[in-house]
Each structure stands twice: as structure tokens, then as C-alpha cells.
Amino acid sequence: MGREGVKDGGDDDVEAVLDELYALPPSGFVARREERAAAARTAGRAGDARRIHAARRPTLAAWAANLLRHSRPDEAERFLELGRALREAHATLDPSGLKELSAQRRRIVSELSRQAAELARDAGHPLSEPVRRDVETTLRAVLADPEAAGLWATGRVEGTLTPPSGFPAETAAGKGPARQASRAASVTAGRKDRLAEQRAKRLARAREAARAAEEGLRARGAEQEEADTSLAAARELHREAGERVSSLEEQLREERAALERAEREQREAEKRARTAADSLARARRDADAAAAEAERAEQDAR
């Protein structure tokens, strides 16, 4: 995500600062931006400070989209490649080919937006349903618009990116069969063959990009399922260990209570034993005194 150990001294450092800022949750963006801008001003880099200060805090949806870009680089690259292939393919594909790719596009956008929501939740910022829809809107824009794709590729999206009403070539491609027939009549057989070949290549490339994107998402889904299974097992072990600890703690409390009772009984028994010993000693002294008195009386009687 952000780069560690950012120094003060050049454009590369400004880029590192911006990477760092846009990797932060929105709640921490402004304070960190001002801190970094102040550091640049103190270092005498007024231009860098202005550029850092000009960075705008992203919305929660934009941050989640940036988080997805940074945290899932492989899936993000495949998604960007899919967008390039789709934009090229839309220039020449027939409606059936576009329908096939559109279905794949919807599945991939839905899965990526789900991953973004999971990443945001794990980072302590769960997304509401409207925010998640904004993430999906941004991802659709990345597929349809090269400028949106370029911005998302930097990981510095500030707000929800809005896709165009259709891919650029869709308007031209949908102006009616009469114009298409007119254009077809004006091209040579060789030209039509080349166009057909280009269509086939672009469709194949778009299909391959979609396949790669879906395979990557399936692999990520399998990893997530495995992680969820491991988490569930760990939680069960934690629950069982907690129950054992609770049982042992209860047993320990009972044993401590028994020990305290035994100690009290021992102290009381020791007290009774001392009292009995004192009584016995007094009785022995009294008996000795009585025996001595009796002996004296007997002697006097003689």
C-alpha cells in the first residue's frame, strides 16, 4: 500500500506521500496530509507542500476502490486488461458478442466490489449498500473509460467515477441497419475479410481477458473459502478452549473455596487443641496440688 520511510527531497517523495495518503482511511486523511505538507514546507519544498495540500480526501467508496487496487494487484491488473480488451472489442463486435462479454463484465464487477467490501470491513470500515453501489459504479467506469482506468490504476481515486452511457463505439455501432448496409456496400471483399479478422481477434482477446479475470477471481474465492474454513475451525477451537478454561477456572474457584474452608477448620481445630491443652495443664496442676494437700493432711493425721 503506502511506502514506508518517506524522506523529504523530491518528486519521488511526493509520489510516495500521495500513495501513503490515499492508502489511509478517509478519517485519517486530512490530519496526515497536513502533517506531510508541513514537513515539506519546513524542508523548504514549497511546491511539494502545495501539491500535497491539494490532495483531496477520498470518499469512503473511492477509498475502498483504491484499497482494492493496492491489496489485490493481480486481480486489478487483469481487470484493467479486461477493460482495454472490452473497449477495443466494442468497436467491432456484433450484439451477440457484446451480450456475452457484458454478462462476464457484470459478474466480475460484482465479485470485485464484494472483495472491496470485505477489505474495507477487515480494515474496520464496513460499507453500506449505497457505498458498495458506488464502488460498483467506479469499477464499471474503469472498464468503459480509459481515463477512469488510468486514474484507478494510480490508486488515487477521490470520488465515485461515473461510466459513460455506453462504450464509445456503441453509439456509432447502433445507428441502424441502413447505415451499416450502406457502409458494407462500399467496402471491398478484402476489406470485409480484414474487418472480420480484426473482430475475431478482438473478441478472442476480450474473451481471454475475461477468462483470466474470472479465473483469478475464482482462485481468490477459493482462497477466501479456505480462509473462512480455517477461521471457523480456529473460532471453534477458541470456543472449546474458552469452555475448558472456564471449567478449570470454576474448578479452581471451588478448590480455593475448599482450601479456605480447610484452613479455617484447621485454625479452629488448632485453637480448640490449644484450649484443651491449657485446660489439661490446669487440671494437672490442680490434681497435683490436691494430691500434695491430701498427702500433707494424711501426715498431719498421724
Side-chain angles (χ1 to χ4, degrees), residues 68-105:
L68 177 69
R69 171 68 179 111
H70 289 297
S71 301
R72 298 283 190 269
D74 293 339
E75 287 92 331
E77 287 300 328
R78 283 191 288 266
F79 191 68
L80 290 167
E81 174 58 29
L82 174 61
R84 287 188 288 268
L86 285 174
R87 290 191 295 274
E88 289 182 4
H90 267 254
T92 54
L93 285 183
D94 57 24
S96 62
L98 291 176
K99 183 178 179 180
E100 173 190 347
L101 292 176
S102 294
Q104 290 176 305
R105 184 180 69 222

mmCIF file of all heavy atoms in Angstrom, residues 68-105:
data_model
loop_
_atom_site.group_PDB
_atom_site.id
_atom_site.type_symbol
_atom_site.label_atom_id
_atom_site.label_comp_id
_atom_site.label_asym_id
_atom_site.label_seq_id
_atom_site.Cartn_x
_atom_site.Cartn_y
_atom_site.Cartn_z
ATOM 1 N N LEU A 68 -8.828 -1.786 -2.926
ATOM 2 C CA LEU A 68 -8.872 -2.968 -3.800
ATOM 3 C C LEU A 68 -7.696 -2.950 -4.763
ATOM 4 O O LEU A 68 -7.039 -3.981 -4.975
ATOM 5 C CB LEU A 68 -10.195 -2.975 -4.565
ATOM 6 C CG LEU A 68 -10.382 -4.101 -5.573
ATOM 7 C CD1 LEU A 68 -10.518 -5.441 -4.856
ATOM 8 C CD2 LEU A 68 -11.622 -3.838 -6.434
ATOM 9 N N ARG A 69 -7.413 -1.791 -5.342
ATOM 10 C CA ARG A 69 -6.298 -1.683 -6.293
ATOM 11 C C ARG A 69 -4.970 -2.040 -5.625
ATOM 12 O O ARG A 69 -4.140 -2.765 -6.200
ATOM 13 C CB ARG A 69 -6.226 -0.253 -6.845
ATOM 14 C CG ARG A 69 -4.978 0.057 -7.684
ATOM 15 C CD ARG A 69 -5.001 -0.728 -8.980
ATOM 16 N NE ARG A 69 -3.847 -0.438 -9.812
ATOM 17 C CZ ARG A 69 -2.871 -1.291 -10.073
ATOM 18 N NH1 ARG A 69 -2.893 -2.512 -9.540
ATOM 19 N NH2 ARG A 69 -1.877 -0.955 -10.861
ATOM 20 N N HIS A 70 -4.747 -1.549 -4.408
ATOM 21 C CA HIS A 70 -3.483 -1.800 -3.721
ATOM 22 C C HIS A 70 -3.394 -3.224 -3.175
ATOM 23 O O HIS A 70 -2.334 -3.832 -3.201
ATOM 24 C CB HIS A 70 -3.312 -0.810 -2.559
ATOM 25 C CG HIS A 70 -3.033 0.597 -3.005
ATOM 26 N ND1 HIS A 70 -1.904 0.934 -3.713
ATOM 27 C CD2 HIS A 70 -3.740 1.747 -2.833
ATOM 28 C CE1 HIS A 70 -1.927 2.234 -3.961
ATOM 29 N NE2 HIS A 70 -3.025 2.749 -3.440
ATOM 30 N N SER A 71 -4.511 -3.721 -2.649
ATOM 31 C CA SER A 71 -4.486 -5.001 -1.934
ATOM 32 C C SER A 71 -4.638 -6.207 -2.845
ATOM 33 O O SER A 71 -4.288 -7.314 -2.458
ATOM 34 C CB SER A 71 -5.603 -5.033 -0.880
ATOM 35 O OG SER A 71 -5.455 -3.985 0.040
ATOM 36 N N ARG A 72 -5.196 -6.020 -4.016
ATOM 37 C CA ARG A 72 -5.395 -7.121 -4.962
ATOM 38 C C ARG A 72 -4.733 -6.763 -6.299
ATOM 39 O O ARG A 72 -5.409 -6.622 -7.320
ATOM 40 C CB ARG A 72 -6.895 -7.375 -5.177
ATOM 41 C CG ARG A 72 -7.654 -7.796 -3.936
ATOM 42 C CD ARG A 72 -7.391 -9.261 -3.600
ATOM 43 N NE ARG A 72 -8.291 -9.731 -2.559
ATOM 44 C CZ ARG A 72 -8.030 -9.692 -1.267
ATOM 45 N NH1 ARG A 72 -6.875 -9.170 -0.852
ATOM 46 N NH2 ARG A 72 -8.882 -10.139 -0.378
ATOM 47 N N PRO A 73 -3.409 -6.601 -6.326
ATOM 48 C CA PRO A 73 -2.755 -6.112 -7.548
ATOM 49 C C PRO A 73 -2.933 -7.036 -8.745
ATOM 50 O O PRO A 73 -3.103 -6.558 -9.879
ATOM 51 C CB PRO A 73 -1.281 -5.999 -7.137
ATOM 52 C CG PRO A 73 -1.146 -6.887 -5.943
ATOM 53 C CD PRO A 73 -2.456 -6.832 -5.237
ATOM 54 N N ASP A 74 -2.905 -8.346 -8.541
ATOM 55 C CA ASP A 74 -3.053 -9.265 -9.669
ATOM 56 C C ASP A 74 -4.440 -9.156 -10.279
ATOM 57 O O ASP A 74 -4.580 -9.046 -11.510
ATOM 58 C CB ASP A 74 -2.784 -10.706 -9.220
ATOM 59 C CG ASP A 74 -1.331 -10.918 -8.828
ATOM 60 O OD1 ASP A 74 -0.482 -10.108 -9.265
ATOM 61 O OD2 ASP A 74 -1.053 -11.870 -8.090
ATOM 62 N N GLU A 75 -5.476 -9.208 -9.439
ATOM 63 C CA GLU A 75 -6.835 -9.070 -9.951
ATOM 64 C C GLU A 75 -7.040 -7.704 -10.601
ATOM 65 O O GLU A 75 -7.708 -7.587 -11.631
ATOM 66 C CB GLU A 75 -7.857 -9.253 -8.819
ATOM 67 C CG GLU A 75 -8.009 -10.674 -8.345
ATOM 68 C CD GLU A 75 -7.089 -10.977 -7.182
ATOM 69 O OE1 GLU A 75 -6.015 -10.361 -7.098
ATOM 70 O OE2 GLU A 75 -7.438 -11.834 -6.359
ATOM 71 N N ALA A 76 -6.436 -6.666 -10.011
ATOM 72 C CA ALA A 76 -6.582 -5.320 -10.561
ATOM 73 C C ALA A 76 -5.960 -5.227 -11.953
ATOM 74 O O ALA A 76 -6.541 -4.630 -12.869
ATOM 75 C CB ALA A 76 -5.941 -4.298 -9.627
ATOM 76 N N GLU A 77 -4.787 -5.817 -12.139
ATOM 77 C CA GLU A 77 -4.149 -5.780 -13.456
ATOM 78 C C GLU A 77 -4.983 -6.531 -14.485
ATOM 79 O O GLU A 77 -5.127 -6.085 -15.634
ATOM 80 C CB GLU A 77 -2.740 -6.372 -13.373
ATOM 81 C CG GLU A 77 -1.731 -5.465 -12.672
ATOM 82 C CD GLU A 77 -1.576 -4.127 -13.370
ATOM 83 O OE1 GLU A 77 -1.709 -4.061 -14.611
ATOM 84 O OE2 GLU A 77 -1.335 -3.130 -12.668
ATOM 85 N N ARG A 78 -5.527 -7.692 -14.086
ATOM 86 C CA ARG A 78 -6.375 -8.430 -15.021
ATOM 87 C C ARG A 78 -7.635 -7.631 -15.349
ATOM 88 O O ARG A 78 -8.118 -7.650 -16.484
ATOM 89 C CB ARG A 78 -6.752 -9.795 -14.421
ATOM 90 C CG ARG A 78 -5.623 -10.816 -14.491
ATOM 91 C CD ARG A 78 -6.101 -12.210 -14.132
ATOM 92 N NE ARG A 78 -6.376 -12.342 -12.719
ATOM 93 C CZ ARG A 78 -5.502 -12.804 -11.830
ATOM 94 N NH1 ARG A 78 -4.289 -13.180 -12.222
ATOM 95 N NH2 ARG A 78 -5.814 -12.907 -10.558
ATOM 96 N N PHE A 79 -8.154 -6.912 -14.362
ATOM 97 C CA PHE A 79 -9.344 -6.092 -14.584
ATOM 98 C C PHE A 79 -9.036 -4.942 -15.544
ATOM 99 O O PHE A 79 -9.834 -4.645 -16.449
ATOM 100 C CB PHE A 79 -9.839 -5.556 -13.240
ATOM 101 C CG PHE A 79 -11.191 -4.917 -13.294
ATOM 102 C CD1 PHE A 79 -12.326 -5.664 -13.534
ATOM 103 C CD2 PHE A 79 -11.324 -3.550 -13.087
ATOM 104 C CE1 PHE A 79 -13.583 -5.071 -13.573
ATOM 105 C CE2 PHE A 79 -12.576 -2.948 -13.125
ATOM 106 C CZ PHE A 79 -13.700 -3.717 -13.363
ATOM 107 N N LEU A 80 -7.895 -4.315 -15.372
ATOM 108 C CA LEU A 80 -7.501 -3.237 -16.288
ATOM 109 C C LEU A 80 -7.305 -3.772 -17.699
ATOM 110 O O LEU A 80 -7.699 -3.121 -18.692
ATOM 111 C CB LEU A 80 -6.217 -2.573 -15.782
ATOM 112 C CG LEU A 80 -6.371 -1.732 -14.501
ATOM 113 C CD1 LEU A 80 -5.002 -1.389 -13.928
ATOM 114 C CD2 LEU A 80 -7.152 -0.453 -14.784
ATOM 115 N N GLU A 81 -6.707 -4.944 -17.827
ATOM 116 C CA GLU A 81 -6.516 -5.550 -19.148
ATOM 117 C C GLU A 81 -7.858 -5.901 -19.769
ATOM 118 O O GLU A 81 -8.075 -5.723 -20.974
ATOM 119 C CB GLU A 81 -5.647 -6.804 -19.025
ATOM 120 C CG GLU A 81 -5.487 -7.597 -20.306
ATOM 121 C CD GLU A 81 -4.891 -6.771 -21.447
ATOM 122 O OE1 GLU A 81 -4.116 -5.827 -21.180
ATOM 123 O OE2 GLU A 81 -5.211 -7.072 -22.620
ATOM 124 N N LEU A 82 -8.787 -6.386 -18.944
ATOM 125 C CA LEU A 82 -10.127 -6.679 -19.445
ATOM 126 C C LEU A 82 -10.777 -5.404 -19.989
ATOM 127 O O LEU A 82 -11.416 -5.431 -21.048
ATOM 128 C CB LEU A 82 -10.979 -7.262 -18.320
ATOM 129 C CG LEU A 82 -12.463 -7.481 -18.645
ATOM 130 C CD1 LEU A 82 -12.636 -8.462 -19.792
ATOM 131 C CD2 LEU A 82 -13.212 -7.974 -17.407
ATOM 132 N N GLY A 83 -10.614 -4.305 -19.271
ATOM 133 C CA GLY A 83 -11.181 -3.040 -19.751
ATOM 134 C C GLY A 83 -10.610 -2.642 -21.098
ATOM 135 O O GLY A 83 -11.345 -2.227 -22.007
ATOM 136 N N ARG A 84 -9.273 -2.771 -21.247
ATOM 137 C CA ARG A 84 -8.670 -2.432 -22.548
ATOM 138 C C ARG A 84 -9.223 -3.312 -23.656
ATOM 139 O O ARG A 84 -9.544 -2.842 -24.752
ATOM 140 C CB ARG A 84 -7.150 -2.566 -22.445
ATOM 141 C CG ARG A 84 -6.472 -1.473 -21.640
ATOM 142 C CD ARG A 84 -4.964 -1.547 -21.738
ATOM 143 N NE ARG A 84 -4.426 -2.677 -20.990
ATOM 144 C CZ ARG A 84 -4.029 -2.622 -19.722
ATOM 145 N NH1 ARG A 84 -4.138 -1.486 -19.048
ATOM 146 N NH2 ARG A 84 -3.541 -3.686 -19.113
ATOM 147 N N ALA A 85 -9.335 -4.616 -23.369
ATOM 148 C CA ALA A 85 -9.839 -5.541 -24.383
ATOM 149 C C ALA A 85 -11.303 -5.265 -24.709
ATOM 150 O O ALA A 85 -11.708 -5.300 -25.881
ATOM 151 C CB ALA A 85 -9.677 -6.979 -23.891
ATOM 152 N N LEU A 86 -12.092 -4.955 -23.705
ATOM 153 C CA LEU A 86 -13.509 -4.678 -23.947
ATOM 154 C C LEU A 86 -13.698 -3.411 -24.777
ATOM 155 O O LEU A 86 -14.545 -3.371 -25.675
ATOM 156 C CB LEU A 86 -14.247 -4.537 -22.617
ATOM 157 C CG LEU A 86 -14.526 -5.831 -21.841
ATOM 158 C CD1 LEU A 86 -15.120 -5.512 -20.482
ATOM 159 C CD2 LEU A 86 -15.460 -6.744 -22.621
ATOM 160 N N ARG A 87 -12.908 -2.393 -24.463
ATOM 161 C CA ARG A 87 -13.057 -1.146 -25.225
ATOM 162 C C ARG A 87 -12.681 -1.346 -26.694
ATOM 163 O O ARG A 87 -13.321 -0.788 -27.584
ATOM 164 C CB ARG A 87 -12.203 -0.047 -24.582
ATOM 165 C CG ARG A 87 -12.750 0.420 -23.234
ATOM 166 C CD ARG A 87 -12.065 1.679 -22.748
ATOM 167 N NE ARG A 87 -10.652 1.501 -22.455
ATOM 168 C CZ ARG A 87 -10.161 1.072 -21.300
ATOM 169 N NH1 ARG A 87 -10.980 0.742 -20.313
ATOM 170 N NH2 ARG A 87 -8.851 0.952 -21.112
ATOM 171 N N GLU A 88 -11.662 -2.156 -26.941
ATOM 172 C CA GLU A 88 -11.309 -2.463 -28.326
ATOM 173 C C GLU A 88 -12.384 -3.323 -28.984
ATOM 174 O O GLU A 88 -12.787 -3.086 -30.127
ATOM 175 C CB GLU A 88 -9.971 -3.197 -28.373
ATOM 176 C CG GLU A 88 -8.774 -2.325 -28.040
ATOM 177 C CD GLU A 88 -7.472 -3.102 -28.156
ATOM 178 O OE1 GLU A 88 -7.520 -4.285 -28.570
ATOM 179 O OE2 GLU A 88 -6.416 -2.542 -27.830
ATOM 180 N N ALA A 89 -12.866 -4.316 -28.253
ATOM 181 C CA ALA A 89 -13.843 -5.240 -28.811
ATOM 182 C C ALA A 89 -15.156 -4.540 -29.136
ATOM 183 O O ALA A 89 -15.802 -4.856 -30.137
ATOM 184 C CB ALA A 89 -14.099 -6.388 -27.840
ATOM 185 N N HIS A 90 -15.546 -3.584 -28.329
ATOM 186 C CA HIS A 90 -16.811 -2.891 -28.566
ATOM 187 C C HIS A 90 -16.828 -2.128 -29.883
ATOM 188 O O HIS A 90 -17.889 -1.792 -30.381
ATOM 189 C CB HIS A 90 -17.107 -1.939 -27.393
ATOM 190 C CG HIS A 90 -17.956 -2.550 -26.332
ATOM 191 N ND1 HIS A 90 -19.264 -2.235 -26.143
ATOM 192 C CD2 HIS A 90 -17.665 -3.504 -25.406
ATOM 193 C CE1 HIS A 90 -19.758 -2.947 -25.142
ATOM 194 N NE2 HIS A 90 -18.797 -3.718 -24.671
ATOM 195 N N ALA A 91 -15.662 -1.860 -30.426
ATOM 196 C CA ALA A 91 -15.615 -1.115 -31.679
ATOM 197 C C ALA A 91 -16.125 -1.943 -32.850
ATOM 198 O O ALA A 91 -16.575 -1.391 -33.856
ATOM 199 C CB ALA A 91 -14.183 -0.658 -31.963
ATOM 200 N N THR A 92 -16.067 -3.279 -32.724
ATOM 201 C CA THR A 92 -16.374 -4.106 -33.896
ATOM 202 C C THR A 92 -17.312 -5.272 -33.622
ATOM 203 O O THR A 92 -17.771 -5.912 -34.558
ATOM 204 C CB THR A 92 -15.068 -4.691 -34.464
ATOM 205 O OG1 THR A 92 -14.362 -5.366 -33.425
ATOM 206 C CG2 THR A 92 -14.178 -3.597 -35.020
ATOM 207 N N LEU A 93 -17.620 -5.575 -32.353
ATOM 208 C CA LEU A 93 -18.401 -6.781 -32.073
ATOM 209 C C LEU A 93 -19.867 -6.623 -32.465
ATOM 210 O O LEU A 93 -20.435 -5.529 -32.423
ATOM 211 C CB LEU A 93 -18.314 -7.126 -30.587
ATOM 212 C CG LEU A 93 -16.999 -7.749 -30.121
ATOM 213 C CD1 LEU A 93 -17.105 -8.098 -28.654
ATOM 214 C CD2 LEU A 93 -16.643 -8.973 -30.934
ATOM 215 N N ASP A 94 -20.479 -7.760 -32.804
ATOM 216 C CA ASP A 94 -21.915 -7.771 -33.065
ATOM 217 C C ASP A 94 -22.658 -7.899 -31.731
ATOM 218 O O ASP A 94 -22.062 -8.165 -30.700
ATOM 219 C CB ASP A 94 -22.281 -8.920 -34.009
ATOM 220 C CG ASP A 94 -21.836 -10.276 -33.459
ATOM 221 O OD1 ASP A 94 -21.684 -10.395 -32.224
ATOM 222 O OD2 ASP A 94 -21.623 -11.203 -34.254
ATOM 223 N N PRO A 95 -23.977 -7.704 -31.725
ATOM 224 C CA PRO A 95 -24.730 -7.730 -30.465
ATOM 225 C C PRO A 95 -24.560 -9.008 -29.664
ATOM 226 O O PRO A 95 -24.533 -8.965 -28.435
ATOM 227 C CB PRO A 95 -26.181 -7.541 -30.926
ATOM 228 C CG PRO A 95 -26.075 -6.783 -32.212
ATOM 229 C CD PRO A 95 -24.824 -7.302 -32.868
ATOM 230 N N SER A 96 -24.447 -10.167 -30.316
ATOM 231 C CA SER A 96 -24.320 -11.420 -29.570
ATOM 232 C C SER A 96 -23.003 -11.467 -28.810
ATOM 233 O O SER A 96 -22.939 -11.908 -27.654
ATOM 234 C CB SER A 96 -24.430 -12.613 -30.519
ATOM 235 O OG SER A 96 -23.371 -12.602 -31.469
ATOM 236 N N GLY A 97 -21.930 -10.999 -29.459
ATOM 237 C CA GLY A 97 -20.639 -10.972 -28.784
ATOM 238 C C GLY A 97 -20.641 -10.002 -27.623
ATOM 239 O O GLY A 97 -20.092 -10.282 -26.552
ATOM 240 N N LEU A 98 -21.289 -8.836 -27.813
ATOM 241 C CA LEU A 98 -21.360 -7.849 -26.738
ATOM 242 C C LEU A 98 -22.169 -8.378 -25.558
ATOM 243 O O LEU A 98 -21.825 -8.128 -24.403
ATOM 244 C CB LEU A 98 -22.012 -6.560 -27.265
ATOM 245 C CG LEU A 98 -21.186 -5.754 -28.269
ATOM 246 C CD1 LEU A 98 -22.003 -4.576 -28.775
ATOM 247 C CD2 LEU A 98 -19.900 -5.273 -27.637
ATOM 248 N N LYS A 99 -23.222 -9.120 -25.833
ATOM 249 C CA LYS A 99 -24.053 -9.684 -24.762
ATOM 250 C C LYS A 99 -23.250 -10.663 -23.915
ATOM 251 O O LYS A 99 -23.323 -10.647 -22.680
ATOM 252 C CB LYS A 99 -25.272 -10.373 -25.361
ATOM 253 C CG LYS A 99 -26.235 -10.916 -24.319
ATOM 254 C CD LYS A 99 -27.445 -11.540 -24.989
ATOM 255 C CE LYS A 99 -28.403 -12.098 -23.940
ATOM 256 N NZ LYS A 99 -29.604 -12.717 -24.575
ATOM 257 N N GLU A 100 -22.460 -11.493 -24.586
ATOM 258 C CA GLU A 100 -21.640 -12.468 -23.873
ATOM 259 C C GLU A 100 -20.643 -11.764 -22.955
ATOM 260 O O GLU A 100 -20.507 -12.110 -21.774
ATOM 261 C CB GLU A 100 -20.897 -13.344 -24.869
ATOM 262 C CG GLU A 100 -19.877 -14.282 -24.232
ATOM 263 C CD GLU A 100 -18.983 -14.956 -25.271
ATOM 264 O OE1 GLU A 100 -19.315 -14.889 -26.463
ATOM 265 O OE2 GLU A 100 -17.959 -15.531 -24.869
ATOM 266 N N LEU A 101 -19.943 -10.750 -23.487
ATOM 267 C CA LEU A 101 -18.945 -10.045 -22.693
ATOM 268 C C LEU A 101 -19.593 -9.214 -21.587
ATOM 269 O O LEU A 101 -19.020 -9.064 -20.500
ATOM 270 C CB LEU A 101 -18.097 -9.152 -23.594
ATOM 271 C CG LEU A 101 -17.185 -9.899 -24.582
ATOM 272 C CD1 LEU A 101 -16.465 -8.911 -25.474
ATOM 273 C CD2 LEU A 101 -16.177 -10.765 -23.835
ATOM 274 N N SER A 102 -20.778 -8.689 -21.843
ATOM 275 C CA SER A 102 -21.461 -7.892 -20.819
ATOM 276 C C SER A 102 -21.806 -8.742 -19.609
ATOM 277 O O SER A 102 -21.699 -8.293 -18.464
ATOM 278 C CB SER A 102 -22.727 -7.256 -21.392
ATOM 279 O OG SER A 102 -22.397 -6.309 -22.395
ATOM 280 N N ALA A 103 -22.234 -9.984 -19.850
ATOM 281 C CA ALA A 103 -22.555 -10.875 -18.739
ATOM 282 C C ALA A 103 -21.311 -11.158 -17.906
ATOM 283 O O ALA A 103 -21.350 -11.148 -16.671
ATOM 284 C CB ALA A 103 -23.148 -12.175 -19.274
ATOM 285 N N GLN A 104 -20.185 -11.412 -18.579
ATOM 286 C CA GLN A 104 -18.941 -11.641 -17.855
ATOM 287 C C GLN A 104 -18.526 -10.398 -17.082
ATOM 288 O O GLN A 104 -18.059 -10.478 -15.943
ATOM 289 C CB GLN A 104 -17.833 -12.054 -18.828
ATOM 290 C CG GLN A 104 -18.013 -13.438 -19.423
ATOM 291 C CD GLN A 104 -16.940 -13.750 -20.439
ATOM 292 O OE1 GLN A 104 -16.733 -13.018 -21.400
ATOM 293 N NE2 GLN A 104 -16.244 -14.859 -20.236
ATOM 294 N N ARG A 105 -18.704 -9.247 -17.715
ATOM 295 C CA ARG A 105 -18.327 -7.992 -17.066
ATOM 296 C C ARG A 105 -19.118 -7.779 -15.780
ATOM 297 O O ARG A 105 -18.560 -7.393 -14.753
ATOM 298 C CB ARG A 105 -18.572 -6.830 -18.035
ATOM 299 C CG ARG A 105 -18.121 -5.468 -17.498
ATOM 300 C CD ARG A 105 -18.401 -4.389 -18.522
ATOM 301 N NE ARG A 105 -19.816 -4.170 -18.677
ATOM 302 C CZ ARG A 105 -20.431 -3.980 -19.841
ATOM 303 N NH1 ARG A 105 -19.752 -4.014 -20.966
ATOM 304 N NH2 ARG A 105 -21.733 -3.770 -19.898
#
